[in-house]
Amino acid sequence: MHDLNADLHCHSTVSDGTLSPEQLAQLAKENGVALWSLTDHDEISGQQRAAAAARAVGLDYVSGVEISVSFAGQTIHVVGLGIDPDDATLRSGLADTRDGRNRRAMAIGDSLAAVGIDGALDGAQAFAGNPEMVTRTHFARWLVATGVCRDTHEVFRRYLVRGKPGYVAQQWATLQDAVSWINGAGGIAVIAHPARYKISTHEEWALFDEFKAHGGRGVEVQTASHSDADVAKYSALAQRNGLLASRGSDFHSPGESRIELGALPALPAGLTPVWRELHSRIARAT
Ligand code: AMP
Ligand code: MN
Ligand code: MN
Ligand code: MN
C-alpha cells in the first residue's frame, strides 16, 4: 500500500497550473497514477470537473485544495484532502483567502514598475485562467515571456521574494482556520512541502505542534522540492509525530515542473500513507 502511485498535489488553470483539470486527468492516467487529487490554491471550483474527468479516464479520485496560511511571518501551505467541496464554511473561508489577491497583484505591479518593469499587472492577468487567482506564478511567467528572466526559477531568485522587487507581504488564513475548515468539511489536513519553508528548527517544531493541536493529521514526505535527505527527515518526523504521510508532485506545468505528474519515487516503507485514511472519500473509477 505504501508504494501506490498516488499523486495528491497538483495545480490546474483554476489556480496557477497551465493544464485544465481534464488535461491533468488524462496526463495522470497516461503516467500511471492510481489515485489522483487536484489541489488548486485557495480554490475548489475545479473539483467537479476534476472528479468527472477522472471518472471518464478511469482514475480513482479524491478531492483537494491547497490553502495559503500565514505562520511565523512566513507563508505555509496546508493541503486538504477528501474535503466536501460543497461545505459552506470551507467555501467562504477560501473566498476570504482569495480576497485581497487583486489588491496585492496591483501592488506587485507597482513594485516592479518602480524598478523599470512596466505592464506587469496586465501581463500577469493575461496569464491567469481565473481572475480571482492572480498569483506570483503568473507574474513569473510574464517575466519569462517578456525576456526579463530566462526561467521561473530565475524569477524567484531575483524578483517576487522577500527583499527583492515585486515582493508584497500578504496576510493569508491562520493555521487554525485552515485546519478547521478542512476538518469541518470532512477532510484531512496535510502540511505541504515542509522543507521549503525558511523557518528555524524551533519554529518548525511549533508549526507541527500547533498543527496537530488544531487537528492536522498529515505531512507531505514525497514531493518534487524534497531532496533524499528531506524525505528521510520528514519520514522520521511523520513517525515521531504520528502523522500520516502524503505524496504529491506539486505539478504545475510540463515546461516548468521538475517532476512530471505521477513520477515521484514511492513513499518509504514503514510510514502510514494518508490514503489509508481516505478510503471512504475516494471516488472509485471502477
Ligand atoms: P502566491 O500564492 O501568489 O504567493 O504564489 C505562490 C506560488 O508561486 C507557489 O504556489 C509556486 O507555484 C510559486 N513559487 C513560489 N516560490 C517559487 C520558487 N522558488 N520557484 C518556483 N515557483 C515558486
Ligand atoms: Mn503554485
Ligand atoms: Mn505550495
Ligand atoms: Mn502546490
Side-chain angles (χ1 to χ4, degrees), residues 67 83 87 89-90 93-94 97 173 176-185:
I67 305 181
I83 37 116
D87 185 85
T89 307
L90 173 66
L94 293 178
T97 308
Q176 176 161 22
D177 280 346
V179 173
S180 77
W181 299 336
I182 292 166
N183 284 338

Side-chain angles (χ1 to χ4, degrees), residues 41 66 77 193 250:
H41 297 288
E66 181 177 19
H77 286 169
H193 44 63
D250 204 3

Side-chain angles (χ1 to χ4, degrees), residues 153-252:
H153 299 290
E154 185 187 339
V155 175
F156 284 104
R157 277 195 309 275
R158 294 177 51 201
Y159 300 98
L160 310 181
V161 291
R162 187 168 301 179
K164 300 292 162 76
Y167 176 73
V168 175
Q170 181 78 347
Q171 194 60 44
W172 302 112
T174 66
L175 184 63
Q176 176 161 22
D177 280 346
V179 173
S180 77
W181 299 336
I182 292 166
N183 284 338
I188 294 181
V190 175
I191 297 281
H193 44 63
R196 272 181 45 181
Y197 309 127
K198 294 183 177 65
I199 56 179
S200 67
T201 305
H202 183 79
E203 285 167 337
E204 182 173 74
W205 186 81
L207 169 66
F208 280 96
D209 215 45
E210 289 185 30
F211 176 69
K212 283 199 304 177
H214 297 318
R217 297 184 58 200
V219 58
E220 277 182 356
V221 170
Q222 234 1 314
T223 177
S225 52
H226 279 187
S227 66
D228 291 349
D230 295 332
V231 172
K233 174 182 170 182
Y234 291 101
S235 293
L237 184 145
Q239 285 179 315
R240 207 167 52 240
N241 285 280
L243 291 171
L244 302 164
S246 192
R247 174 179 191 267
S249 59
D250 204 3
F251 180 80
H252 283 70

